[in-house]
Amino acid sequence: MGYVPITSFRRRIDAVQLQRHQMQTQPLPAQAVNKWDALRELATARTRYGLTDRDMTVLQALLSFYPGSNLDQPEKLVIHPSNDSICERLNGMPCSTMRRHLGNLVTAGVIGRRDSPNGKRYVRRSAMGATAYGFDLSPLIHRFAEFTTAAAAVRSAEQHVQELREATSLMRRDLYGLLELAQPSIGSFDRFRDLLSLTGRALRRKLTLPELDQINRDLKTAVDQLRSSTCPPSATQIESDEMSTNAAETEQHYQRSNKEYLESEMSVENATASRTKNDIPLGLVLATCPEIVAYCEQPIRHWSDFVNLAEKVRPMMGVCNATWAKAKRHMGRDTAAVVLAAMLQRFTTIRSSGAYLQTLSAKAAMGAFSAGPMISALMRNPT
């Protein structure tokens, strides 16, 4: 092209456009850039440039008009497809919508405009060479290193968020276990119980990095306080045979897979506990078993509300009157409702709800069942 225009057709010019025009007129880097690599890196970092996934779809369609995979042909970097051709490759996207996404790409400096005197897109060939008017893909080459750096930063942040979520889940499990140990003597039990419930609800949505950091700090403080208040002085001697044995047993318990879910529920750790006593906080049950809450029309504030909800859901799960009556008799009304909610949470993995509940009721009749391991298993693996 003999002359590269600075302004676009019937559009105002600003300082940002001047800077981009200067960049686009510079020589291309010696190393070629793969157009799909550029698209992939930019798609990862798109939010940092104010772009959406739909903007990336339009950019992908534009790149399909460039011949070859490497952006190494300067004379072909200005593509000139018609609006109809672009919309056709976008599976019939409305032209007005497509133009809006194109504008977003130009504003972000991902592509440039090289408008003809009349604003049309075309290529004119002569003895002096070809002159093309349309969309300039050279910014993808000039800014590829920048896009790669931004994408790496996004991936690092996502990895950090994943690690924080894993740490949060582990601390919630520890907090629940410590609460079971300390419940008879702790004075601020409700505060820790509410923390478990609130963090469980929070983890069901996408959290920002500062929000996850705050949740981790709150949980770490709670775990440290409970551990210091429940562990006797001799507990610091981790080399003792008793602690080693307990640690091994605990590790074996937590390493069980989903296939062993039934055995974890039939734990005999609380064999000496009362058959009808339920020590699990209601808030923790609601946070761990959200499926049953979907059937409730009013907020659940008391155990009686939760038991009534279980009575309503029980027939839908295929649990007959006799089986339900047996479960309430051997487990207690509250515990039976907790078991039913946990079964509903894993409903797709249980072949027969009635037979399953009868098995657990038989264990409860022998004093060898507690609902605590069921809730713990769901906390470790909600899905």
Side-chain angles (χ1 to χ4, degrees):
M1 178 181 290
Y3 178 76
V4 179
I6 298 175
T7 59
S8 300
F9 182 72
R10 291 181 179 177
R11 294 182 179 89
R12 298 181 60 180
I13 189 172
D14 55 23
V16 175
Q17 285 178 290
L18 290 175
Q19 292 176 349
R20 291 171 180 164
H21 178 270
Q22 183 180 4
M23 176 189 65
Q24 292 168 22
T25 54
Q26 294 175 354
L28 295 177
Q31 185 175 2
V33 173
N34 184 283
K35 64 181 183 181
W36 303 124
D37 289 343
L39 178 67
R40 186 180 306 109
E41 296 299 288
L42 181 59
T44 300
R46 64 185 181 275
T47 56
R48 299 199 171 195
Y49 297 94
L51 299 173
T52 66
D53 54 348
R54 296 277 281 177
D55 297 330
M56 292 297 100
T57 301
V58 174
L59 178 59
Q60 181 178 4
L62 288 180
L63 289 175
S64 68
F65 288 98
Y66 177 87
S69 297
N70 291 329
L71 300 172
D72 55 359
Q73 304 179 58
E75 70 281 0
K76 296 182 180 180
L77 285 176
V78 179
I79 57 176
H80 43 86
S82 65
N83 287 346
D84 290 341
S85 298
I86 299 175
C87 291
E88 182 180 354
R89 296 200 182 186
L90 290 169
N91 299 318
M93 176 184 287
C95 188
S96 58
T97 303
M98 182 273 295
R99 288 199 304 268
R100 185 175 70 252
H101 292 302
L102 281 176
N104 294 339
L105 294 171
V106 173
T107 301
V110 174
I111 60 175
R113 293 185 189 269
R114 288 196 182 179
D115 289 346
S116 65
N118 62 359
K120 302 295 183 179
R121 302 180 207 127
Y122 60 86
V123 58
R124 188 184 70 240
R125 294 178 174 84
S126 65
M128 302 298 295
T131 301
Y133 297 100
F135 297 109
D136 187 358
L137 302 178
S138 62
L140 292 174
I141 306 176
H142 290 290
R143 304 183 66 183
F144 179 68
E146 174 191 344
F147 296 153
T148 301
T149 301
V154 170
R155 294 188 184 100
S156 178
E158 291 176 348
Q159 178 66 25
H160 185 40
V161 168
Q162 181 180 356
E163 292 173 354
L164 282 177
R165 291 184 72 93
E166 290 177 355
T168 298
S169 298
L170 292 174
M171 282 191 285
R172 290 185 73 249
R173 184 183 71 188
D174 289 344
L175 182 59
Y176 175 72
L178 290 170
L179 279 175
E180 282 191 323
L181 175 65
Q183 185 178 358
S185 59
I186 192 169
S188 55
F189 174 78
D190 289 341
R191 176 165 62 87
F192 295 121
R193 179 198 62 188
D194 292 341
L195 179 60
L196 276 173
S197 178
L198 291 173
T199 54
R201 285 198 294 266
L203 288 175
R204 290 201 290 269
R205 60 185 178 88
K206 187 175 182 179
L207 299 173
T208 62
L209 191 58
E211 289 174 331
L212 276 173
D213 279 330
Q214 184 60 49
I215 290 176
N216 268 259
R217 287 194 294 268
D218 293 342
L219 286 171
K220 188 177 186 306
T221 300
V223 169
D224 290 342
Q225 290 179 358
L226 273 176
R227 184 163 51 186
S228 62
S229 63
T230 57
C231 292
S234 59
T236 58
Q237 301 173 358
I238 59 175
E239 297 82 7
S240 65
D241 293 338
E242 180 180 359
M243 286 296 294
S244 299
T245 302
N246 290 340
E249 293 174 352
T250 304
E251 180 66 18
Q252 292 174 2
H253 174 70
Y254 284 125
Q255 289 296 326
R256 291 173 181 174
S257 64
N258 287 339
K259 294 181 180 180
E260 297 173 311
Y261 182 58
L262 175 62
E263 286 77 10
S264 70
E265 295 166 356
M266 299 177 180
S267 170
V268 296
E269 296 173 357
N270 299 304
T272 58
S274 172
R275 297 179 186 177
T276 60
K277 183 179 179 181
N278 177 44
D279 294 332
I280 305 175
L282 178 59
L284 179 60
V285 176
L286 296 177
T288 311
C289 306
E291 291 293 333
I292 196 171
V293 180
Y295 294 89
C296 185
E297 300 177 355
Q298 301 294 333
I300 300 176
R301 304 184 184 279
H302 307 286
W303 276 107
S304 58
D305 300 333
F306 187 69
V307 172
N308 291 335
L309 178 60
E311 296 277 2
K312 173 184 175 181
V313 175
R314 181 264 306 171
M316 308 177 192
M317 298 175 58
V319 177
C320 65
N321 294 337
T323 300
W324 181 238
K326 180 180 178 182
K328 291 190 292 183
R329 182 170 63 254
H330 295 305
M331 299 180 182
R333 295 172 67 249
D334 295 353
T335 302
V338 172
V339 171
L340 197 77
M343 290 171 54
L344 181 60
Q345 199 66 27
R346 293 281 179 85
F347 191 67
T348 57
T349 64
I350 299 176
R351 293 184 178 180
S352 174
S353 299
Y356 191 68
L357 186 58
Q358 285 184 1
T359 302
L360 300 184
S361 298
K363 288 287 182 179
M366 297 184 295
F369 172 77
S370 170
M374 297 183 73
I375 299 301
S376 297
L378 287 173
M379 288 178 65
R380 293 193 302 272
N381 187 9
T383 58

